[in-house]
Amino acid sequence: MDLLIINPNTTVSMTKKIDEAAKKVASLNTKITAVNPSDGPVSIEGYFDEVFAVPGMIGEMQKHPNADAYIIACFDDTGLDAARCVSNAPVIGIGEAAFHIASLVAGTFTVVTTLSRSIPAIKHNLGKYGLLTRCAGIRASEVPVLDLEKNGSDAYQKISDEIGRALLDDRAEAIVLGCAGMADLAASLSAKHHIPVIDGVSAAVKLSEAIVQLGIGTSKWGGYRRPVAKEFKGIFAPFSPK
Amino acid sequence: MDLLIINPNTTVSMTKKIDEAAKKVASLNTKITAVNPSDGPVSIEGYFDEVFAVPGMIGEMQKHPNADAYIIACFDDTGLDAARCVSNAPVIGIGEAAFHIASLVAGTFTVVTTLSRSIPAIKHNLGKYGLLTRCAGIRASEVPVLDLEKNGSDAYQKISDEIGRALLDDRAEAIVLGCAGMADLAASLSAKHHIPVIDGVSAAVKLSEAIVQLGIGTSKWGGYRRPVAKEFKGIFAPFSPK
Amino acid sequence: MDLLIINPNTTVSMTKKIDEAAKKVASLNTKITAVNPSDGPVSIEGYFDEVFAVPGMIGEMQKHPNADAYIIACFDDTGLDAARCVSNAPVIGIGEAAFHIASLVAGTFTVVTTLSRSIPAIKHNLGKYGLLTRCAGIRASEVPVLDLEKNGSDAYQKISDEIGRALLDDRAEAIVLGCAGMADLAASLSAKHHIPVIDGVSAAVKLSEAIVQLGIGTSKWGGYRRPVAKEFKGIFAPFSPK
Amino acid sequence: MDLLIINPNTTVSMTKKIDEAAKKVASLNTKITAVNPSDGPVSIEGYFDEVFAVPGMIGEMQKHPNADAYIIACFDDTGLDAARCVSNAPVIGIGEAAFHIASLVAGTFTVVTTLSRSIPAIKHNLGKYGLLTRCAGIRASEVPVLDLEKNGSDAYQKISDEIGRALLDDRAEAIVLGCAGMADLAASLSAKHHIPVIDGVSAAVKLSEAIVQLGIGTSKWGGYRRPVAKEFKGIFAPFSPK
Amino acid sequence: MDLLIINPNTTVSMTKKIDEAAKKVASLNTKITAVNPSDGPVSIEGYFDEVFAVPGMIGEMQKHPNADAYIIACFDDTGLDAARCVSNAPVIGIGEAAFHIASLVAGTFTVVTTLSRSIPAIKHNLGKYGLLTRCAGIRASEVPVLDLEKNGSDAYQKISDEIGRALLDDRAEAIVLGCAGMADLAASLSAKHHIPVIDGVSAAVKLSEAIVQLGIGTSKWGGYRRPVAKEFKGIFAPFSPK
Amino acid sequence: MDLLIINPNTTVSMTKKIDEAAKKVASLNTKITAVNPSDGPVSIEGYFDEVFAVPGMIGEMQKHPNADAYIIACFDDTGLDAARCVSNAPVIGIGEAAFHIASLVAGTFTVVTTLSRSIPAIKHNLGKYGLLTRCAGIRASEVPVLDLEKNGSDAYQKISDEIGRALLDDRAEAIVLGCAGMADLAASLSAKHHIPVIDGVSAAVKLSEAIVQLGIGTSKWGGYRRPVAKEFKGIFAPFSPK
């Protein structure tokens, strides 16, 4: 099985970390390919950055049209709906993957993310998915995304502190880590706090494998129909749907 | 990996069908064991039957304490919350499994179940899980559960007719089959209607494998804490939590 | 009028306390009979205990088929839906009774219950009933159920403290006591805090009388239809619906 | 026990019908007094009429300050919140009374009311009470309120027809009659359609008795605090709170 | 364009303040007329006062039948639904005006109002309008309405303090001032806290102008149909709809 | 006042129509500038097209940094959140503008849009804005966007037919036209059906003027904070936030 994981930002070190996290949990006969676009922001922190990450992300899908499933490795599930339009195969966002897995092992979960500016986007996604009532809280550690890539940062401690508060103040029953860049922290945080801690990258890998093996693809009814054939002008001409 | 699938009713032919459906999708290194209690109703059709199915179902879990995950193979997810209390391993209901998988490949889904008396229980579960807003409709085919076991019944046609109405009247984008006994019909119905048709048994097998491989277990915070040690009297003494 | 009150746990002293609370508010021509099953847990604290309390509870209904109404005296309203299937007469849970009465005298209410593990079950019930938006909070006093039966426990003080916090932090406009075993505390707590404090047992008695006198029974449409006649196997054979 | 029932419109024949419906279900030691203001509309059909019914209704409460409970006999529960501000005793609206009773005997209910212009007000009330999710439909029979007072009208047939549609199209499990003037039709419609049919007047009488006997009054926290003492000018000076 | 602004209470100094706030933002060709009824309460603080403010308010509309739009200058939007019944022109409440404007410039808003007894009415309105999910909190400054008219009161400081708490504890992204009498404070509070602070009076003026210029009036379908012609008795006879 | 209206698709004839619709309702001292990007799709029909419309749309905002307000003239409000991040001035989507205006003149509204594939996006927006409960239905006329630009198409008739069904089947109290290209049809359809028909372009113009005149800008708290300064790579380098 071929899984294409797209890190929608342009930071190669993060793509590499995502690739490693994915390979750690992938089944033997799953081939993981992690890519990132060459055009776009170096990290995605809020609505503005998303706009300039998604065209390149779609471009990566178009370059790899034969994957068995696609994973969008940004916790905001940026561009997920559009990506589903161009694929018969399943397309899974790491945010939704983490929310669904958490909902299968706990009554409620708290999200611990990077910057507080990302909270509204996460809340909107949860509302759209239907899982807002399962969410006990969304907490910002105020760790910028790229600090997660630096040695010696206090990111781990700040995230761990928010988990402590989630247990006490939110009565959280599970924790969802709110950034692809936290993929390597889940196991240690889970052991420390004695609570399921879910990383979206690994969750999305296992869910993608599961859905592919079930023989189920993205519905082509409703909003995920194939794009209408039409002209795209200028720099976006190459993306025109036919 | 050891998966214990419990058919909570006492009809062995249905357990066998569930076993086959599970084995068809299980990974090579997954060992499927499908069981049913010897005490309880021959089928589960509504709230009353559930009451007398769950003690035996819990008993099967207690007889198999070392499974890596447990699957409750009744679409009402009967006894799911109680089952989670006695397990550190994941426990997945086939109803919730189908709802979550459907939510990952389509914007909305319609459930096609057996008798209309089961609709309220399904609706309550969807409300509790948070996924009611994803559900475009719940339709009863008015096929009794055990008719699904009979050769020559018109069950397939009735279910197919409801799917046709779901596409037209509900704008459904995927179909969830609302009974473990429909596990063998999904592929054919999906091909006929050109829409994802999700069977809960196979969905639960793949989700259980995914969660086990992620190393995540049932949260022991909140409502799923281990039962308080206490005396159970009379015929239920053997089930007393210690 | 004959009211059958079923304490679903097997602790006779609690049945006696419930009987007294019920008789204190019953009308002159109401005959109260309080029973408990001989099989099952000595107290109900969470989802697991419920499973083994409900069969015996249903058995008590079947032993007393001619009551004018039935009351389930466990705050989780355990087995309520199943009990309604076997009765044309009204069946009232003490949890729902308390929520409805509170909603008729106050804009919002806070529930003060025993252990925090019971909070998720109460929240699910409120969601199912529709009254979650009327609920300002659910608070655990962390008093185990059977401590309410002991002289000299600090249960009263702990419950009173939570009421104080509910007034301040939840802006609660009424209090609902979240356990049948608290039935004797309501009047004193109401006087102390100058706020309506509702006990489910007495609320259920008066609601049952009201509904019987209105000549209304449980709807036999939807989920509360009579159980389908079928075979129950093993120890549950005696409960088989005909 | 003294129950004051206020018909907020000025049609004496309707007050008499309400009085009879109330007395038919009242307990022996309950004294029913049904009144209506002398100022205001002859019937209440929509938001505008409500405005001019409520001051007189409050005036009736002020003339009878010692009632043990008050009932507002207009299905829109017009002025209910204001009425609660001037009373320590319970105040029950016939709309909410019917909704709560229906919720105790059925999973869902459909409301059959008079004119379609009343549907939005009923829907708002259900949303405010929390019970909108229990409501399967609100149907207008298009029978004007005062036609219910006329011999030989086709009101009964039109209402019965809507009940038939509610069973088929809404999967209603109980029926709520949406006007005080329908109080005399409930028993016959229930017998005809084999479904609980709830009249708000009788429901409110029994709920009021129940709450009074429980010793519970209107909460004086939150929105139902006593009105602030202040000057009311002009024709409303007599109503000034002190 | 003729805008009639009705202060539903009888305090002329407040009508004057409202008139000034309105004229400050009105367009050149908008003629503002601010009135108040001569009958009714001197301020509106809770449900009871509303009842006696609305008839006079409707009376003012009837005296000025040719306005191009009507504004109800009480934050509870008291009588708004009834007022819409008697007008083809738009009728805007200052509460809803502020909520809608806030929703167009921020993801969430907190309301800072006068007394805590008004919180439930505001919450009900938000629920009815659909905007409750946009509201991050409703806070009472505990400043009585008429204190806002007094020189030297500490009203400004108390309101400012609540805004500070809203930013910190509610993560509010905008502030809505919850009383017509606060109209003169918005600009200064906005400058102080660097956040949009919305006053309902000015918001309603601009929204009314906008809707009039769009050529849109109040819908005459559903609940806002013209009142049914009928007799109103006694002191309300002059208001009878024809 | 300078209003910049951005048609996010690249069809100049539609930009011209939008410009005309806007100028028809704009105030005398409002200067309307309608633009469209040169890069991107010729029409926006679903999620995929949106992705390639938004970067150019943001680019147009960056070329016109001094507008007093910005209007996004696509009914899906595509890129609205991102656009707010780069502006202190108000940014209004024509979808939200129409929903808010409809909510101020009617209890409920039905949306009549172009293709059914757009329904999910509109529903998600309504859920996010909070106004889903105000929406009585979303109907597709199945008229492609660019057919609205053609003479002699049957677009008007198809839209009018859906309005007729909305009145009957949805009990709609107002109609919202779900495409910028329908701006010229609103007045005629309103006259024909005797119901408010709201066009988003003109609604957005008047709301933008209103908010600018109120002196209110986009909140810079929460999700609409200024983008974090960072490197954008490749073709998106020119958009990098500083």
Side-chain angles (χ1 to χ4, degrees), chain D residues 63-132:
Chain D
K63 281 187 214 159
H64 300 80
N66 298 318
D68 293 297
Y70 299 87
I71 290 173
I72 298 178
C74 171
F75 193 78
D76 293 351
D77 295 346
T78 186
L80 175 60
D81 287 322
R84 283 195 175 135
C85 292
V86 289
S87 173
N88 292 336
V91 184
I92 308 292
I94 66 167
E96 59 169 2
F99 302 145
H100 284 284
I101 292 293
S103 298
L104 288 162
V105 296
T108 63
F109 56 84
T110 280
V111 179
V112 180
T113 189
T114 51
L115 303 184
S116 55
R117 68 168 62 221
S118 291
I119 292 176
I122 292 170
K123 199 171 167 191
H124 287 152
N125 280 351
L126 282 162
K128 187 170 136 184
Y129 303 156
L131 297 174
L132 193 55

Side-chain angles (χ1 to χ4, degrees), chain A residues 15 94 99 104 116 120 122 134 175 197 207 217 220 236 239:
Chain A
T15 308
I94 65 168
F99 303 146
L104 288 162
S116 54
I122 293 170
R134 304 296 292 272
I175 300 296
V197 175
L207 283 175
K220 293 286 106 185
F236 295 123
F239 299 92

Side-chain angles (χ1 to χ4, degrees), chain C residues 100 105 130 173 194 206 213 219, chain D residues 100 105 130 173 206 213 219:
Chain C
H100 284 284
V105 297
E173 302 175 22
H194 308 288
K206 301 315 290 183
Q213 287 160 0
S219 174
Chain D
H100 284 284
V105 296
E173 303 174 22
K206 300 315 289 182
Q213 286 160 1
S219 174

Side-chain angles (χ1 to χ4, degrees), chain C residues 119-175:
Chain C
I119 292 176
I122 293 170
K123 199 170 167 194
H124 288 152
N125 281 351
L126 283 163
K128 187 170 136 184
Y129 302 156
L131 298 173
L132 193 56
T133 55
R134 305 295 292 271
C135 178
I138 309 176
R139 295 176 168 272
S141 61
E142 303 301 355
V143 175
V145 171
L146 294 185
D147 276 19
L148 294 164
E149 303 300 293
K150 291 180 192 157
N151 289 328
S153 89
D154 57 354
Y156 182 87
Q157 190 54 46
K158 283 181 173 170
I159 294 164
S160 180
D161 289 352
E162 285 302 322
I163 293 177
R165 284 182 205 110
L167 294 177
L168 219 65
D169 295 348
D170 306 345
R171 287 190 182 277
E173 302 175 22
I175 300 295

Side-chain angles (χ1 to χ4, degrees), chain D residues 32-49:
Chain D
I32 298 286
T33 307
V35 299
N36 62 257
S38 50
D39 300 312
V42 292
S43 64
I44 301 178
E45 292 167 318
Y47 296 119
F48 184 82
D49 298 347

